[in-house]
Amino acid sequence: MTIREFKMPDVGEGLTEAEILKWYVQPGDTVTDGQVVCEVETAKAAVELPIPFDGVVHALLFEEGTTVDVGQVIISVQTGEAEAPAPAAAVEAAPAAAEPAPAARQPVLVGYGVSESSTKRRPRKAAPAPAVAAQNGTAAPVAAPAAPAAPAPLPAVPAQPSGERPLAKPPVRKLAKDLGIDLASVVPTGDGGVVTREDVHAAAAAAITPQTSAPAAAPAAAPAAVAAPVAVAAVDAAARETRIPVKGVRKVTAQAMVGSAFTAPHVTEFITFDVTRTMKLVQELKADPDLAGLRINPLLLIAKAVLVAIRRNPDVNASWDEAAQEIVLKHYVNLGIAAATPRGLIVPNIKDAHAKTLGELSESLSALVATARDGKTSPADMQNGTITITNVGVFGVDTGTPILNPGESAILAVGAIKLQPWVHKGKVKPRHVTTLALSFDHRLIDGELGSRFLADIASVLEHPRRLITWS
């Protein structure tokens, strides 16, 4: 028998870390090759990870909610393979490692022990020495624990070694987050340097209570007497603000939008027009038996109109290669659809949307939306997009100035479709009206091309028979 280790893989192009969202197995469980053992969230999406071999789970090396670098071991499995003889040095060291040493042992989610692999572990966290503690790189004397005098104030020492992730259970992490407490600043008192709930409450109390020297003969019960009101005050103070760590999808979206806004010269144009005929066509298609079971809505016809307009204006479907100083014309359309999810905005795209029929496009849109809502969009689904649609109209918004998805040439914002008074055949009538906003990269698309492209989209939606005559 031997122990095999499974490392955090790179589940996307160039990703360096992922957060463990959920474990599906526990130590002692039997796993088989290809079985999903956990779900992780990268900077792009939530992904399920399968184990690549058979065996029995030996240990889970990280808790849920922990961010792990690509290449770090996350789970060890005991397999039925023949065990290689251990080096003599390792055999001699094993008994020492088995000795109880809470201050030096690194806790894991569940299960721990000596692994017979050569993989280097993270440095073990040691409890502060009883006589001295590091303070900004120098030795600071600390009162000896055996002294009968009143307890001295806690020394101002770093709670955790620099660069190390504080050890704490998920409920404790949530408590710290709710109270606005940085776990790295908390002095841990749990075994092995683990931060406890009491530690977090103590840090919260210290943050809002002026620090004074302890009286010479402070009663032993004094800390307990002030614990309750301090905890309430901490919660009340934290209720004024909530700090949300920027990570995962939200972090990469923010970085991408800043990069896009300050790299590609944006131009935005608008057009407002009558889509009454398109709305009627939507109702007719819903009743068409050939499309039974498919989701038919205005977004489907807008997507089709964009594809028709790209066919008439192929130069808009391009990208800018800065390194080669070239414009890359794309002879395919990977149509992006911006989707708001609990993890933030993502833009998966429909591969080769230009080659799909209306029914196939409907199926692809439905699958894309369902996958995004479930948080199961894969990194591959969000790569190599060419042009994007963002439907802000679902929020009742008339229009906006969207920012380009990095690497793409244009993005179309679709506003709310509303009944408005409109001049139709010389008379003012209630008509369905909407506004489109097209942002494009002015390095790739000049004003004339951008205007023709936007006008063609509107023309198709105003007179939807052009879905046939212009195709």
Side-chain angles (χ1 to χ4, degrees), residues 22-31 35-38 57 60 64 75 77 109-110:
K22 183 176 182 180
W23 284 108
Y24 294 120
V25 295
Q26 296 295 325
D29 290 352
T30 300
V31 293
Q35 178 180 340
V36 173
V37 295
C38 69
V57 177
L60 309 181
E64 294 177 353
I75 181 174
V77 174
L109 178 58
V110 278

Side-chain angles (χ1 to χ4, degrees), residues 68-462:
V68 182
D69 292 335
V70 168
Q72 282 190 286
V73 177
I74 61 174
I75 181 174
S76 60
V77 174
Q78 187 175 16
T79 68
E81 300 175 0
E83 182 176 3
V91 172
E92 293 174 1
E99 291 295 326
R105 185 177 66 209
Q106 176 177 331
V108 294
L109 178 58
V110 278
Y112 50 82
V114 179
S115 173
E116 299 182 11
S117 74
S118 60
T119 303
K120 293 182 179 180
R121 302 289 185 185
R122 296 186 300 170
R124 297 177 183 271
K125 293 181 172 59
V132 295
Q135 182 174 7
N136 299 326
T138 61
V142 181
L154 287 173
V157 298
Q160 301 287 340
S162 177
E164 292 288 350
R165 181 182 175 89
L167 296 177
K169 295 181 179 179
V172 178
R173 293 185 184 279
K174 184 178 186 304
L175 174 64
K177 177 181 176 182
D178 292 342
L179 296 180
I181 299 299
D182 181 3
L183 278 177
S185 68
V186 178
V187 178
T189 62
D191 290 343
V194 175
V195 177
T196 66
R197 295 181 65 89
E198 291 73 20
D199 298 336
V200 174
H201 280 302
I208 64 173
T209 305
Q211 297 298 313
T212 58
S213 298
V226 299
V230 165
V232 172
V235 172
D236 291 342
R240 293 172 61 86
E241 294 181 351
T242 299
R243 292 180 175 268
I244 302 174
V246 179
K247 59 183 180 179
V249 174
R250 191 174 298 276
K251 180 178 180 179
V252 75
T253 299
Q255 293 171 341
M257 291 300 99
V258 171
S260 176
F262 290 97
T263 301
H266 285 57
V267 173
T268 304
E269 294 185 345
F270 309 87
I271 188 168
T272 301
F273 59 101
D274 180 0
V275 290
T276 303
R277 292 186 180 91
T278 287
M279 298 303 290
K280 290 181 178 178
L281 179 57
V282 168
Q283 298 306 316
E284 292 173 3
L285 293 176
K286 285 183 176 181
D288 190 330
D290 292 335
L291 298 176
L294 297 178
R295 184 176 177 82
I296 309 297
N297 55 23
L299 180 60
L300 173 62
L301 296 187
I302 291 169
K304 195 65 176 178
V306 169
L307 296 172
V308 171
I310 291 174
R311 187 180 299 114
R312 288 171 57 83
N313 305 275
D315 289 351
V316 304
N317 194 44
S319 64
W320 182 272
D321 188 332
E322 181 65 29
Q325 287 295 292
E326 294 176 339
I327 293 175
V328 183
L329 294 177
K330 309 293 180 64
H331 305 301
Y332 58 90
V333 181
N334 290 344
L335 185 62
I337 304 294
T341 74
R343 293 189 177 94
L345 178 71
I346 63 173
V347 187
N349 59 75
I350 300 173
K351 300 294 190 281
D352 294 325
H354 66 286
K356 295 184 181 293
T357 65
L358 189 66
E360 292 170 341
L361 191 61
S362 174
E363 291 176 341
S364 297
L365 272 172
S366 296
L368 178 149
V369 172
T371 303
R373 286 176 177 171
D374 292 341
K376 303 299 183 183
T377 302
S378 70
D381 290 337
M382 294 183 285
Q383 296 167 358
N384 303 316
T386 58
I387 287 180
T388 289
I389 297 174
T390 178
N391 186 11
V392 299
V394 296
F395 306 109
V397 175
D398 291 333
T399 189
T401 54
I403 297 177
L404 292 170
N405 204 32
E408 298 183 9
S409 60
I411 179 171
L412 181 73
V414 180
I417 299 174
K418 300 178 180 179
L419 272 176
Q420 296 182 19
W422 193 262
V423 177
H424 177 68
K425 296 181 179 179
K427 296 181 180 180
V428 176
K429 297 182 179 181
R431 305 285 289 180
H432 284 96
V433 177
T434 193
T435 298
L436 302 181
L438 179 73
S439 291
F440 52 88
D441 187 338
H442 216 343
R443 298 173 299 179
L444 298 164
I445 303 173
D446 60 25
E448 178 188 3
L449 178 58
S451 298
R452 284 195 283 107
F453 177 56
L454 180 58
D456 280 354
I457 296 172
S459 185
V460 171
L461 295 172
E462 193 166 15

